[in-house]
Amino acid sequence: MSAPGPVSSPLWISAFLDLAADEVERGSAFWAQVTGSTLSAVRGERHEFHTLVPPDGDDHLRVQRRDEGPSRVHLDLHVPDQATAAEHAVTLGAEVVRAADEGYVVLRSPGGLEFCFVGHPAETRSRPAVWPTGHRSQVDQLSIDVPARLLEPERGFWRDLTGWPLRRTAYEEFHLLEVPAGQPLQVLLQRLDDDATEVSVHLDLTTDDVGAELERHVALGARVLTRHEHWTVMVDPGGLRYCIAGDPPDDDVPA
């Protein structure tokens, strides 16, 4: 029997699209169309939250109106005991930003990336969307983008926080956390070699037909920023960057 993971090891991962107030309506509609999801009814004390509800399985993408600052992405780690998980995260170098009355805890990583411990239960991964052309696509990865000077402490933090091993990939600037089977999102840590000053997050989609998927996104209002051999960097209508990779989506989910 393997040793249990740390109290902060997530049972589920979800991503929040924190959209600037003047972009939230357009951005929510774009991401619902991109993912084949349905927008939930608005909720929250300030009517600031939506969920992107997939046709099957549990949700792992949500939208929040951000009243100050540009659009961004943050991650939520779903754990049984948010307060205890936050205490452990602090011992690893995190900082608590806010402990909400609702039970969730907002923190910053050693590199300054905001994330949350939440308690919403979820366990069933959704299937990739199938489009009229017959191709499939899915948001399946969070990329934590780390300036080179912050890389070592940030990689160690996420490894120790989740209890998941960290492994190299074929690209020296990328390391993957070995996420357990059944999680809705993979987690990649990417070294940034530009002049970025803080850690950020972007979403990655995977598809079995890059051409058809790019055409679909552009028709919905996105634009191509840069093309690489195995992925394309996109910008959504509100200026949020994300990537499309040419890998067949993982369809190995429970029936």
Side-chain angles (χ1 to χ4, degrees), residues 187-201:
V187 180
L188 179 77
L189 285 107
Q190 176 179 199
R191 185 193 70 226
L192 299 179
D193 292 326
D194 57 20
D195 57 357
T197 58
E198 59 184 21
V199 183
S200 59
V201 171

Side-chain angles (χ1 to χ4, degrees), residues 7-239:
V7 294
S8 52
S9 184
L11 305 175
W12 190 257
I13 306 173
S14 56
F16 250 108
L17 294 153
D18 301 329
L19 301 180
D22 59 349
E23 295 293 342
V24 69
E25 184 174 350
R26 180 169 60 165
S28 298
F30 172 81
W31 284 98
Q33 292 173 295
V34 158
T35 59
S37 303
T38 301
L39 272 177
S40 73
V42 69
R43 65 184 188 280
E45 289 185 2
R46 297 182 292 107
H47 305 289
E48 70 269 41
F49 297 123
H50 285 288
T51 296
L52 294 172
V53 182
D56 62 273
D58 293 318
D59 71 85
H60 63 279
L61 297 172
R62 299 177 181 186
V63 176
Q64 175 175 221
R65 187 187 69 243
R66 193 177 189 206
D67 293 328
E68 295 182 8
S71 297
R72 66 178 187 182
V73 178
H74 83 260
L75 66 155
D76 280 2
L77 306 180
H78 299 232
V79 295
D81 186 334
Q82 297 92 72
T84 301
E87 290 175 2
H88 179 62
V90 169
T91 69
L92 299 174
E95 172 192 0
V96 173
V97 176
R98 181 165 66 96
D101 293 339
E102 297 86 350
Y104 66 88
V105 184
V106 183
L107 303 98
R108 286 194 188 95
S109 74
L113 180 66
E114 285 199 5
F115 67 99
C116 298
F117 284 123
V118 301
H120 312 298
E123 61 181 9
T124 303
R125 182 180 179 185
S126 58
R127 290 179 171 81
V130 181
W131 304 106
T133 60
H135 82 282
R136 300 175 302 146
S137 67
Q138 185 175 46
V139 175
D140 79 332
Q141 185 165 267
L142 279 163
S143 178
I144 301 176
D145 304 324
V146 188
R149 65 184 179 82
L150 300 173
L151 186 61
E152 289 307 316
E154 197 72 6
R155 282 199 305 216
F157 172 77
W158 290 103
R159 178 197 62 217
D160 296 342
L161 186 74
T162 61
W164 299 336
L166 191 66
R167 66 173 173 85
R168 292 179 178 272
T169 71
Y171 299 89
E172 64 176 4
E173 68 268 34
F174 296 145
H175 280 69
L176 273 171
L177 286 175
E178 294 187 356
V179 173
Q183 286 281 355
L185 295 167
Q186 301 299 308
V187 180
L188 179 77
L189 285 107
Q190 176 179 199
R191 185 193 70 226
L192 299 179
D193 292 326
D194 57 20
D195 57 357
T197 58
E198 59 184 21
V199 183
S200 59
V201 171
H202 75 261
L203 295 178
D204 292 336
L205 291 91
T206 188
T207 180
D208 52 13
D209 188 331
V210 172
E213 188 68 2
L214 288 176
E215 184 176 336
R216 192 174 69 85
H217 285 238
V218 170
L220 292 172
R223 61 186 176 89
V224 174
L225 190 62
T226 57
R227 296 176 186 263
H228 301 269
E229 183 179 1
H230 296 295
W231 67 89
T232 301
V233 182
M234 306 290 293
V235 180
D236 81 359

